[in-house]
Amino acid sequence: MDLHSAFPGIMDLKWRAKRRLPRFVWEYLDSGTGVEATKARNRAALDRIGFLPSVLHGPLEHDLTTTLLGMTYDLPFGIAPVGMSGLIWPDAEGHLARAAARANIPYCLSTVAAQSPEDLAPHIGPQAWFQLYPPKDPDIRRDLVERARQAGFKTLVLTVDVPVASRRERQVRSGLTQPPKLTPRLLAQVAMRPAWAMGMARSGMPHMRTLDKYSQGLTNLPPTAHIGYLLRTSPTEDYVAWLRDAWQGPFVVKGVLRPEDGERMERLGVDALWVSNHAGRQFDGAPGAAEMLPQIRAATSLPLIFDSGVEGGLDILRALALGADFVMLGRAFHFALAALGPQGVAHAIDILQKDIESNLGQLGAARASDLPPTRPLSAAQ
């Protein structure tokens, strides 16, 4: 099969993924929280960013290599952390990590993934990042940081925008709990999705392996929460400072939307900021993340990483033009896994690269650093 003929865009992978996943899994992957207004604003904010095409530049040799936090990556984007990736496809974290290593782009493993840092140690290189939900217990905190280091992860990402469990009403309505339990209602959905069912039958239903050693005796979770919520806390500046001292490598804080928070993180010695509203999954009253990028860029000299609402190469260029240094995508790569299995990840990377190059060509730019100024677009345009 010519994948580019059958699935030329990320949206093609998304709609195939929806047809192949049980409804409760699809709702987990695709949903936001509330009425999903923030999720919609992420898309609208990016759609308002345009450029004026430029002509008469002749053939261009594109160079997409990007240097970030002392590493040179072949492309200006990477794979963002998604909790319980293994619910989307068996060995999802392994497939993502291996594809990222082959493409020389970052892969960020979630604390609440279905595989542990130790599971992925044979499959990662220096481009691997570890995302930390902040444990309340200092012994667990020290142990998690050391486990990530020993497994070979080079960059630590602290997520700060999940102080409490969000409602995620679509997920609740679907019947999914953590850890997943196949009730008769969910089994009926599984029966309609044979490819997913066969994969899970071979691997078993996933759970959060990283947290196994800390979870004895912890129970009574609400439907949208999981064991991680019983272990984590809402961090303080002192917490960030402790991690900065404890982690001997690049240290990123994820979940920043306020310019003044960027200034605070810079004072605390953070190496980069990750501008994100958690893709609309945590708070439904936030602006589109892209709206805040220029203000945060003006407030800090730190490198900026961006996610939330990114669906293609043009969106990546929009974020870079607004002040981001790098872009991460989560759902897109999981759509690819669900749609095509392991080969889907490499195909998604190829889609995004070709889309970036095509759009750069329209703008007369060989590199992202050559992007022209952005131009506001109205809905009618």
Side-chain angles (χ1 to χ4, degrees), residues 265-305:
M265 299 302 173
E266 189 164 5
R267 291 196 300 270
L268 290 168
V270 168
D271 295 306
L273 302 177
W274 191 319
V275 179
S276 171
N277 59 27
H278 220 96
R281 292 168 73 82
Q282 286 303 121
F283 178 60
D284 208 26
E291 294 179 46
M292 304 310 301
L293 255 176
Q295 298 176 50
I296 297 173
R297 177 72 288 159
T300 178
S301 61
L302 290 174
L304 298 184
I305 300 159

Side-chain angles (χ1 to χ4, degrees), residues 103-135:
N104 187 32
I105 62 174
Y107 167 63
C108 191
L109 177 70
S110 172
T111 300
V112 293
Q115 296 190 55
S116 69
E118 294 83 0
D119 293 330
L120 291 192
H123 309 295
I124 62 173
Q127 79 292 332
W129 302 3
F130 182 73
Q131 176 269 336
L132 180 70
Y133 282 119

Side-chain angles (χ1 to χ4, degrees), residues 10 13-18 20-21 25-26 28-30 78-97 107-110 112-114 196 281 329-342 344-346 348-349 352:
I10 297 298
L13 298 174
K14 177 179 179 178
W15 299 128
R16 179 172 168 83
K18 185 175 183 180
R20 283 164 56 90
L21 291 174
V25 179
W26 172 255
Y28 172 73
L29 175 60
D30 188 60
I79 303 175
V82 172
M84 288 292 287
S85 291
L87 185 64
I88 311 303
W89 201 258
D91 190 27
E93 293 88 352
H95 294 312
L96 294 166
Y107 167 63
C108 191
L109 177 70
S110 172
V112 293
W196 186 92
R281 292 168 73 82
L329 301 87
R331 287 190 179 108
F333 291 107
H334 289 73
F335 295 152
L337 263 178
L340 299 173
V345 186
I349 293 170
L352 293 169

Side-chain angles (χ1 to χ4, degrees), residues 230-311:
L230 295 184
L231 298 173
R232 74 178 62 160
T233 186
S234 181
T236 63
E237 288 190 4
D238 288 342
Y239 197 109
V240 172
W242 184 93
L243 277 174
R244 169 64 289 174
D245 292 340
W247 182 260
Q248 303 304 309
F251 177 45
V252 180
V253 170
K254 178 179 183 291
V256 175
L257 283 181
R258 292 184 177 220
E260 58 267 33
D261 286 341
E263 296 172 343
R264 292 165 66 200
M265 299 302 173
E266 189 164 5
R267 291 196 300 270
L268 290 168
V270 168
D271 295 306
L273 302 177
W274 191 319
V275 179
S276 171
N277 59 27
H278 220 96
R281 292 168 73 82
Q282 286 303 121
F283 178 60
D284 208 26
E291 294 179 46
M292 304 310 301
L293 255 176
Q295 298 176 50
I296 297 173
R297 177 72 288 159
T300 178
S301 61
L302 290 174
L304 298 184
I305 300 159
F306 176 81
D307 77 22
S308 297
V310 179
E311 296 178 343

